[in-house]
Amino acid sequence: MKNYFTILLMAIFGFLAVSCTDRNDEVLVDDNDTYPMMRDITGTFNSGNSYTISQGINIASTDVVLVYRNINSGSSGTAVWQLLPKTEYLSNGRELDYNFLFDTANIEIYTEANFDQATFTAAEATQYLNNQRFRIVLVPASQGKNADVNYSDYNSVIKFYNIPDRD
C-alpha cells in the first residue's frame, strides 16, 4: 500500500510539474485571409453628385477602413495625405467637412458645409472640390488591435502594415 501511495504521489507531482506554464494566456491569431490594401480615387464634388464621390470596393468584416485626402490635390505639389474626417476652416467663419461612409461593397466620400458650397470662388473650388485625390487604405483589424501606430500619419500606417507607397 505504501508503494502505491508513493507512486501515486509522484505521478500527481509529475503531472503538475509538466502541465504548469509561464501563465502566458495570450492567444495569437494569425489572420491569413485579410491583408492590407490601398486604392486611389480622384473625383470632383459638385451639386450634380450631391458633393459625394462613390467607389465600389470589397471590404471584409475584419477590415479597418482609413481614408486619406491629398491636401495638394488642386496643385502640382507633392502628395501630403491627411486622415478623414477633417474640417477645413475657411474665411468668414465658413467650415467645410470631408467625411466618409462605407459598407461591405462601397465607400462614399462626401463634403458638408455650413454654407452653400456652390458659392465657392473658382480658386476655392480648385483647392477644395475639383479633382480631389483620396487614398483608401484597408488594414486588418486583428493586426492593429494593439498596434503602436499613429493612424493619422499616413507614412506610419504604410510602414507598419508594409504597404508599398505609390504616388
Side-chain angles (χ1 to χ4, degrees):
M1 184 73 168
K2 209 175 202 186
N3 283 340
Y4 291 119
F5 182 70
T6 305
I7 292 172
L8 180 63
L9 190 58
M10 288 178 62
I12 291 172
F13 177 74
F15 176 74
L16 291 175
V18 172
S19 65
C20 289
T21 65
D22 64 356
R23 297 282 183 209
N24 184 358
D25 295 333
E26 184 176 333
V27 176
L28 299 176
V29 177
D30 193 11
D31 187 5
N32 290 322
D33 64 337
T34 306
Y35 52 92
M37 169 185 141
M38 163 182 351
R39 179 176 295 171
D40 286 357
I41 61 170
T42 301
T44 296
F45 297 103
N46 56 50
S47 60
N49 62 16
S50 301
Y51 298 97
T52 301
I53 300 169
S54 296
Q55 175 65 49
I57 191 168
N58 185 22
I59 303 172
S61 62
T62 57
D63 284 347
V64 173
V65 178
L66 303 170
V67 178
Y68 297 88
R69 174 181 167 257
N70 179 2
I71 62 173
N72 288 332
S73 291
S75 71
S76 59
T78 59
V80 177
W81 299 104
Q82 191 170 57
L83 183 64
L84 299 186
K86 173 66 178 157
T87 301
E88 295 287 346
Y89 297 96
L90 310 172
S91 61
N92 300 322
R94 298 176 303 156
E95 297 176 8
L96 177 68
D97 297 322
Y98 293 94
N99 212 335
F100 68 99
L101 297 171
F102 67 93
D103 58 27
T104 59
N106 195 43
I107 293 180
E108 289 185 354
I109 302 169
Y110 62 94
T111 60
E112 292 180 315
N114 65 352
F115 62 96
D116 182 2
Q117 294 180 57
T119 63
F120 266 130
T121 66
E124 289 173 328
T126 297
Q127 183 175 356
Y128 298 110
L129 300 178
N130 299 340
N131 297 315
Q132 296 297 297
R133 186 170 163 209
F134 295 91
R135 183 159 286 171
I136 300 166
V137 180
L138 304 179
V139 295
S142 61
Q143 286 181 347
K145 184 176 180 185
N146 296 315
D148 186 23
V149 61
N150 178 2
Y151 289 100
S152 64
D153 180 1
Y154 168 77
N155 292 314
S156 294
V157 171
I158 64 169
K159 182 178 178 183
F160 180 82
Y161 289 101
N162 198 27
I163 303 171
D165 192 17
R166 60 175 185 246
D167 262 337

